Amino acid sequence: MSLKLEKAHKYEKEEKQKIPAEEKPVFHVTPPIGWMNDPNGFSFYNGEIHLFYQYHPYTRDWGPMHWGHCVSKDMVSWEMLPAAMAPDQEYDAFGCFSGSAIEADGKHALMYTGVSKKTLPDGTTQERQNQCLAYGDGRVYEKFSGNPVITGEMMPKGCSRIDFRDPKIWKEDGKYYLIVGNKNDDQRGQVVLFSGKTPESWEFETVLAENSTGEIGTMWECPDFFGMDGKHFLICSPQDMKAQKYEFHNGNNAVFFVGEYDKETHVFKKEAPKSLDYGFDFYAPQTTELPDGRRIMIAWMQNWDTLAYRRNESKWFAQMSLPREVSVKNGRLYQVPVRELDSMRANKVEYRDVVIKDTRITLDQIEGRTVDLELVIRPVDKDKLYKKFELCFAENEKYHSTLRFRPDESVLKIDRSFSGSERAVVHQRECLVNGDCNELKLRVILDRFSAEIFINDGEQVMSAVILTEQDAKGISFAVNGAVRIDVVKYDLA
Ligand code: FRU
C-alpha cells in the first residue's frame, strides 16, 4: 500500500470517531470525514453492493481526489470501508477522478480518470486526463501496471485532451464498452465510446452523442448509458447550461436523453434532453444493474454552485441521494426510492379524506425529520380547483421549508428560504408537474438534512439539502380553497 493511501486510512480512522452519529443522516451515504462528491464504481460484486465516491478526507473542501468506499446489502445501511485509492502515481498524481466498476474475470475492475500534468514545449504545463484501471477483491485494490489504458491521443482531432473524464464501463455480447465525458474544440460537450476485449486494452469507436444544438452545455461530465424497455438512455451532467422554461435550472445539470441505439453501427439517435431532478441538489448520477434486474441510480445530493449552504461546524461535507430504482413508463424515466427503504418504515399513521378549507392544520402524530410521507391531494369539488396547497416541513416557530402547489399552473415549488440558511444561494425551485391537477401524489422522504420529493409515483423528483436544526420537526398542511387529502406517514428508523 502506498504511503498516501496509508496516510488516508490512518487519518479517516482517527477522525471519524470524533463525529457524533446524530450529526449525520440516518440512511444517506456521507463521507466518514472530509469532503465527498460524485458516486463512483456503483456495482454489485461478490454478494455486495459497492459504492465508491470522490473523496478528500483531509478538508471539507474539494482537494486531490481519493476514492472513498462503502458496501451494502440493502442500500439503506452502509458499511464505510477504508479509502480504496489515493492519488499516488505519476499518472494520477493530481487526482483519481470519477469512474465506474465491473466484474471482470472474477475481479472487481475499477475504471477511473487519472489526472496528471504535462509539460508543453514552451515550458508551460497543461492538465491531462487519461483513463486508468485498478483491480481488487472488494476490499483491497491495486492499480494496473499498464496505466493509463486510454489516453486522449487515441481520440480524433478536435476532442479535448484536458477535459476527458469519468469512464463508465459495461459488457455486452462478450465485449467491454466504455463511454467517457469529453468536449470538442467548439467547447461543446460530448460523449466518446471505446471498446475492448479486456478492460486493459481499448480502441476508440465513435463520438456517441454530442451537444449538437449548442444549448446542452460545455463539458459533459459523468456519462452513463443503458438500455431499458426497448429504448436507450444516455445520462450525463453537462456543465454551464442555461435554464429553458422549467428545465435545467442548476447551471451544472443532470440530464437524460432517451433514444434508439444501433449496436452494430454505434449510432445513438436521441431526443431532446430532460432534467433528471427538479430540485437543487442532484448531480453526477450513476446507475448500476443489480442481479435481480433492477437498475438503480444514485447521485451526489449537492450542487457545485451552492456549496456555501453548509453547516460551518461539521467535519464532513455532502451526501449521496437515496438510491432510486429507475423504470420506463410511457417513454418517461421514473424514479422511486429503492424498495429496501420500506423495511425501515415504523409507526404507521394514516388519515383518509381529510378536508381542509382555507386554513392551516396539523395532524396528530404527523411530524418528524426522518420520515416517509405519502400524500394524495384532490380538490373537494372536482370542477372547482383550489388555489394553492402548501405542505410545510422541518417546521417550528423559527424555521420551515415548503412545498407549494398551484393546480391552475400545475407548478410545484420547493422553498427552503427559512431552513436556517445564512447564505445567498438559491432557495426556490419550481417543477412543472406533468400529471392531472385533480390528483397530485407526493412521497416525501426526509432524513435529517435532506428532502427528496417523488411526484406522481416518481415521474418527476425534487431533491434538496435542508440543514435546519433537528428540533424543527413539525409538518403542516395549508390550503387556499378546499382540498381532500390522504396522508400516510412512517418514521424511518
Ligand atoms: C463532477 C466532476 C467529475 C470529476 C470529478 C472530480 O462532479 O467534476 O467530472 O471526475 O467531479 O472530483
Side-chain angles (χ1 to χ4, degrees):
M1 188 188 309
S2 72
L3 287 175
K4 269 199 177 160
L5 190 58
E6 213 172 294
K7 182 179 161 204
H9 286 182
K10 192 163 173 275
Y11 186 81
E12 56 190 0
K13 194 171 167 200
E14 280 165 11
E15 293 298 314
K16 71 180 181 198
Q17 293 158 10
K18 300 181 186 162
I19 304 177
E22 318 78 71
E23 266 190 32
K24 292 208 152 177
V26 178
F27 48 91
H28 284 79
V29 172
T30 59
I33 182 78
W35 164 278
M36 175 180 85
N37 58 294
D38 317 350
N40 296 156
F42 190 32
S43 55
F44 183 86
Y45 174 75
N46 212 2
E48 294 173 312
I49 297 160
H50 291 256
L51 179 70
F52 301 82
Y53 50 89
Q54 290 287 280
Y55 182 34
H56 186 245
Y58 306 110
T59 65
R60 292 183 322 155
D61 300 300
W62 191 89
M65 279 292 121
H66 297 56
W67 271 37
H69 188 194
C70 54
V71 288
S72 180
K73 295 259 184 209
D74 60 8
M75 294 174 283
V76 288
S77 65
W78 293 88
E79 183 191 348
M80 303 313 289
L81 297 173
M85 294 195 285
D88 51 15
Q89 303 295 319
E90 206 185 324
Y91 53 79
D92 63 17
F94 290 84
C96 300
F97 276 18
S98 285
S100 53
I102 198 168
E103 178 167 346
D105 294 327
K107 291 180 281 192
H108 204 197
L110 312 183
M111 292 293 311
Y112 70 101
T113 300
V115 182
S116 56
K117 294 252 160 100
K118 183 183 163 116
T119 307
L120 302 178
D122 66 2
T124 57
T125 56
Q126 208 179 52
E127 194 164 300
R128 282 289 175 273
Q129 300 185 343
N130 292 313
Q131 313 322 316
C132 302
L133 169 67
Y135 287 119
D137 61 359
R139 290 295 180 275
V140 179
Y141 292 82
E142 207 164 301
K143 291 173 185 168
F144 177 56
S145 57
N147 276 340
V149 291
I150 301 177
T151 67
E153 277 63 42
M154 293 164 69
M155 292 187 293
K157 264 187 130 188
C159 299
S160 171
R161 270 88 172 120
I162 301 171
D163 288 295
F164 176 45
R165 56 182 178 269
D166 313 334
K168 174 75 202 262
I169 187 171
W170 74 95
K171 199 174 181 182
E172 200 171 289
D173 304 332
K175 215 170 168 183
Y176 291 95
Y177 290 93
L178 178 126
I179 48 171
V180 191
N182 189 224
K183 71 176 173 197
N184 65 22
D185 282 349
D186 299 327
Q187 304 302 308
R188 290 183 177 195
Q190 60 185 20
V191 162
V192 287
L193 175 73
F194 292 80
S195 68
K197 287 202 183 70
T198 74
E200 296 169 14
S201 68
W202 296 95
E203 265 171 50
F204 175 82
E205 288 283 355
T206 186
V207 175
L208 182 72
E210 60 191 335
N211 170 6
S212 40
T213 63
E215 288 177 355
I216 323 172
T218 52
M219 171 63 190
W220 283 9
E221 299 189 310
C222 302
D224 199 342
F225 192 54
F226 54 88
M228 213 176 0
D229 266 16
K231 294 274 179 197
H232 261 77
F233 292 85
L234 174 70
I235 286 177
C236 64
S237 295
Q239 295 184 311
D240 315 312
M241 268 182 94
K242 294 187 178 70
Q244 296 169 23
K245 295 195 175 148
Y246 288 92
E247 299 286 325
F248 320 128
H249 280 249
N250 280 339
N252 295 339
N253 286 277
V255 308
F256 71 96
F257 300 87
V258 56
E260 308 280 339
Y261 179 54
D262 184 330
K263 280 187 195 178
E264 305 303 317
T265 58
H266 304 306
V267 172
F268 178 54
K269 282 203 191 109
K270 60 185 182 359
E271 295 174 13
K274 285 228 169 314
S275 298
L276 270 170
D277 192 286
Y278 294 87
F280 318 97
D281 298 301
F282 194 83
Y283 195 66
Q286 188 170 89
T287 74
T288 192
E289 193 180 353
L290 296 183
D292 63 13
R294 285 183 292 165
R295 184 157 293 270
I296 313 294
M297 175 169 70
I298 191 165
W300 187 38
M301 192 158 53
Q302 188 54 55
N303 177 312
W304 281 110
D305 293 326
T306 61
L307 301 181
Y309 180 52
R310 56 164 66 191
R311 291 166 68 233
N312 290 329
E313 70 284 6
S314 74
K315 291 180 174 4
W316 59 276
F317 180 72
Q319 310 171 62
M320 292 299 170
S321 72
L322 262 183
R324 302 169 182 180
E325 180 175 348
V326 294
S327 60
V328 184
K329 270 187 228 165
N330 310 322
R332 291 175 181 278
L333 205 60
Y334 276 63
Q335 305 169 42
V336 292
V338 286
R339 62 184 78 128
E340 285 84 348
L341 187 70
D342 296 358
S343 68
M344 292 185 76
R345 287 172 158 186
N347 309 329
K348 181 176 182 183
V349 182
E350 187 172 357
Y351 291 88
R352 296 275 163 208
D353 288 324
V354 179
V355 171
I356 319 175
K357 271 189 186 160
D358 289 313
T359 187
R360 174 176 299 277
I361 64 158
T362 54
L363 293 170
D364 193 31
Q365 293 186 67
I366 304 286
E367 61 165 30
R369 288 292 290 280
T370 49
V371 300
D372 187 340
L373 185 73
E374 292 175 336
L375 265 182
V376 184
I377 304 129
R378 301 183 187 93
V380 167
D381 181 347
K382 229 186 169 222
D383 305 317
K384 199 161 165 248
L385 283 185
Y386 54 97
K387 212 166 157 206
K388 186 174 81 181
F389 171 82
E390 200 173 280
L391 169 75
C392 274
F393 56 95
E395 183 181 22
N396 63 9
E397 300 77 51
K398 223 164 143 186
Y399 304 116
H400 63 269
S401 289
T402 312
L403 281 170
R404 208 168 287 133
F405 184 63
R406 291 179 184 274
D408 59 334
E409 299 167 350
S410 201
V411 170
L412 181 69
K413 183 182 210 169
I414 185 166
D415 186 344
R416 63 176 181 191
S417 307
F418 303 99
S419 64
S421 170
E422 297 166 348
R423 291 290 165 266
V425 300
V426 63
H427 289 317
Q428 296 185 346
R429 272 275 181 279
E430 289 182 329
C431 173
L432 183 64
V433 174
N434 292 320
D436 165 11
C437 0
N438 279 306
E439 182 179 280
L440 174 69
K441 282 169 93 176
L442 300 178
R443 183 169 174 200
V444 179
I445 309 285
L446 303 180
D447 183 9
R448 287 191 181 149
F449 306 111
S450 64
E452 286 163 279
I453 295 107
F454 296 84
I455 305 162
N456 290 335
D457 301 312
E459 186 175 355
Q460 289 160 302
V461 192
M462 300 177 94
S463 303
V465 167
I466 301 283
L467 299 180
T468 319
E469 288 168 13
Q470 295 302 301
D471 49 5
K473 50 175 185 260
I475 292 176
S476 66
F477 309 86
V479 191
N480 281 23
V483 293
R484 187 186 297 278
I485 62 170
D486 296 336
V487 184
V488 180
K489 182 228 132 185
Y490 303 87
D491 292 325
L492 292 171

